Amino acid sequence: MSRSYCINCQYPQSACICHAVKPTTAVTEVIIMQHPSEVEHAKNTVKLLKLALPQTQIYVGETAEDFAELQGYLAAQTRPVFIVYPNDHSKAASEVEADNKAIIVLIDGTWRKAYRMLQLNPWLLNYPSLHLECDDESQYVIRKAKRSDSLSTLEAAAYTLASLEPSADIAPIFAVFNAMVHHKLSAMPAAVRQRYHSDKLKG
């Protein structure tokens, strides 16, 4: 028997998070370059980000050809564009003068896939890169990450928004995120749930 899905949040009825969805807005434009493998991933956070911040634009692909439309769109902009990706030349988001008219681009995928997407899209080097300096660890305890400083795409987007646009209300973004994480954890057997928490503490 097929699962019944909520027509609003697109999650299974048993995992509906509509009670936590209170859409917010931001002047900063958020664009996601999403690896195809993330689209249907049960734990992907871009879907949550879109629920909380409906203006979020999502482009799915891997190669430069896949993102031709996005390239044209960004090239035509007069607003500053930043790629949120840590590298040797990236600048801390907190050090950038708040500019409510900025555009931020995030790559959604595992570290390995995101790095490959960066290599396949050298045009991204035309824009300055930003990285985050977060005191808080990721709350994305339900998905494994090889790096201890890993943040989900939703968390990275929210924290970058908070740095560039201090007046933006990011609480609704974390509300839907926390609702999804809580549901996933509560649906796990106690032993499995404890293992996730233990692994997080070790990290």
Side-chain angles (χ1 to χ4, degrees):
M1 182 180 295
S2 61
R3 304 176 79 181
S4 177
Y5 285 78
C6 173
I7 60 173
N8 296 313
C9 69
Q10 300 302 311
Y11 277 87
Q13 288 287 358
S14 60
C16 175
I17 57 169
C18 286
H19 66 280
V21 178
K22 294 181 175 61
T24 188
T25 59
V27 178
T28 302
E29 189 173 338
V30 179
I31 295 176
I32 308 296
M33 293 173 62
Q34 187 174 48
H35 190 278
S37 65
E38 293 293 318
V39 177
E40 299 299 329
H41 199 294
K43 298 176 182 178
N44 97 73
T45 62
V46 169
K47 181 164 64 173
L48 296 169
L49 179 61
K50 181 73 173 177
L51 286 172
L53 191 68
Q55 69 190 63
T56 303
Q57 297 184 56
I58 304 169
Y59 293 83
V60 179
E62 189 173 12
T63 67
E65 290 73 20
D66 295 332
F67 297 110
E69 181 183 348
L70 175 58
Q71 292 180 60
Y73 176 75
L74 294 178
Q77 301 304 306
T78 56
R79 304 167 68 176
V81 176
F82 298 101
I83 310 302
V84 183
Y85 191 91
N87 57 49
D88 293 339
H89 308 291
S90 60
K91 190 172 185 179
S94 59
E95 296 177 0
V96 177
E97 288 188 19
D99 188 334
N100 291 349
K101 295 182 179 181
I103 298 174
I104 58 174
V105 180
L106 297 95
I107 302 175
D108 182 53
T110 62
W111 275 107
R112 181 176 62 80
K113 291 175 180 176
Y115 180 74
R116 176 169 171 73
M117 286 171 67
L118 197 66
Q119 300 305 303
L120 293 173
N121 291 272
W123 58 272
L124 289 172
L125 298 176
N126 294 328
Y127 303 103
S129 299
L130 298 180
H131 64 263
L132 293 162
E133 295 178 323
C134 296
D135 294 329
D136 298 324
E137 288 189 3
S138 171
Q139 298 306 302
Y140 202 21
V141 295
I142 60 172
R143 192 167 182 182
K144 306 295 184 182
K146 292 182 178 180
R147 291 177 51 151
S148 60
D149 61 347
S150 293
L151 292 174
S152 68
T153 301
L154 176 147
E155 291 172 304
Y159 287 135
T160 305
L161 269 179
S163 291
L164 299 182
E165 188 181 337
S167 62
D169 182 11
I170 64 172
I173 297 176
F174 282 106
V176 294
F177 175 73
N178 291 331
M180 185 273 284
V181 171
H182 176 74
H183 175 80
K184 293 288 187 185
L185 287 173
S186 63
M188 295 176 183
V192 176
R193 182 166 58 249
Q194 183 58 42
R195 188 165 68 245
Y196 271 90
H197 282 301
S198 297
D199 287 346
K200 186 63 181 177
L201 290 174
K202 291 177 184 176

